[in-house]
Amino acid sequence: MRIAVYVKKEQLKTDERLLSLEAELLKASCELYHIETRDDLREHTDVLLSVGGDGTFLSASKRVGDTGIPILGVNLGRLGFLSEYKPEDIVKPLLSGDYTFEDRTLLKADIQGGGVDTGKDFYPYALNEVSVHRYGAAMLGVDVTMNGEHIPTYWSDGLLVATSSGSTAYSLSVGGPICTPDSKVLIISPIAPHNLNARPLVVSDTA
């Protein structure tokens, strides 16, 4: 089994629990290698171990992109929503094939029009959410169209479109609902809305 390892925080690379995990996998004849960027990925990689918390998992998702390589979140700190497995609990099921895959909804932002500077580091895909927010003091009037139908304008500091994976992240902090990861929904939530009837809206992820 060829396994890539992504560790965002430098101090975790020498954590005894991670070193023990790697030693067990090497003993079982697995091929391990560490990555920093997407370009470091090797062909025929079976899985990417994301070592850290949920922020590391989101960064790891950018590294695999559309390669189809699954990510396994290895948590060395407090319990995460994405990185939920302890290093001592993954070796046996990983080697025996005693696991299942979860497909998560991914968002893509398509920015059109002149005067928009996305920058060289712009990455259009998001596992958690896409946000549109104000720059300056004035509030925004955000017009949303869904399946060709217009939703009343959101007067707010901005707008979030979140996946079910992102329901416990930024969306939750602006009053959105918690959704189980297997829910095939999107959550549309205004950020600090100025119209009092504006509430988070849950829609199908095929909308």
Side-chain angles (χ1 to χ4, degrees):
M1 178 177 280
R2 176 173 285 180
I3 301 173
V5 181
Y6 175 67
V7 187
K8 188 176 182 180
K9 294 183 178 180
E10 194 67 28
Q11 64 268 28
L12 293 183
K13 293 182 179 179
T14 56
D15 188 285
E16 290 185 4
R17 296 167 70 194
L18 173 60
L19 296 177
S20 176
L21 169 63
E22 292 181 334
E24 283 191 68
L25 292 172
L26 288 171
K27 186 178 179 181
S29 300
C30 294
E31 177 188 342
L32 294 181
Y33 69 97
H34 283 251
I35 70 166
E36 296 291 339
T37 70
R38 181 184 175 93
D39 294 334
D40 297 330
L41 282 173
R42 301 176 187 174
E43 289 187 354
H44 309 299
T45 296
D46 296 293
V47 65
L48 171 64
L49 299 185
S50 168
V51 182
D54 286 354
T56 300
F57 192 100
L58 294 173
S59 296
S61 69
K62 291 184 178 181
R63 270 64 182 176
V64 296
D66 58 355
T67 62
I69 298 173
I71 306 172
L72 175 58
V74 182
N75 197 302
L76 293 179
R78 60 184 183 179
L79 180 64
F81 289 98
L82 296 170
S83 298
E84 55 182 317
Y85 298 104
K86 298 177 182 179
E88 53 269 22
D89 294 337
I90 70 169
V91 174
K92 185 176 180 180
L94 187 62
L95 296 178
S96 65
D98 184 20
Y99 53 80
T100 58
F101 293 97
E102 288 184 5
D103 291 323
R104 299 291 182 100
T105 299
L106 200 65
L107 296 172
K108 181 183 180 185
D110 183 14
I111 300 176
Q112 301 176 353
V116 179
D117 182 14
T118 56
K120 65 180 179 64
D121 295 326
F122 176 69
Y123 186 77
Y125 299 99
L127 181 61
N128 267 4
E129 74 276 315
V130 170
S131 68
V132 177
H133 52 87
R134 65 182 175 89
Y135 183 76
M139 78 174 75
L140 297 179
V142 185
D143 293 320
V144 179
T145 302
M146 182 178 67
N147 297 336
E149 299 292 331
H150 288 276
I151 297 174
T153 299
Y154 288 98
W155 294 98
S156 61
D157 287 352
L159 192 75
L160 286 176
V161 178
T163 65
S164 55
S165 298
S167 70
T168 53
Y170 195 0
S171 177
L172 180 64
S173 71
V174 299
I178 295 176
C179 302
T180 59
D182 58 344
S183 301
K184 300 300 182 182
V185 298
L186 298 177
I187 307 162
I188 303 172
S189 300
I191 303 170
H194 292 255
N195 41 342
L196 297 180
N197 63 338
R199 294 290 184 268
L201 180 64
V202 178
V203 303
S204 167
D205 67 357
T206 60

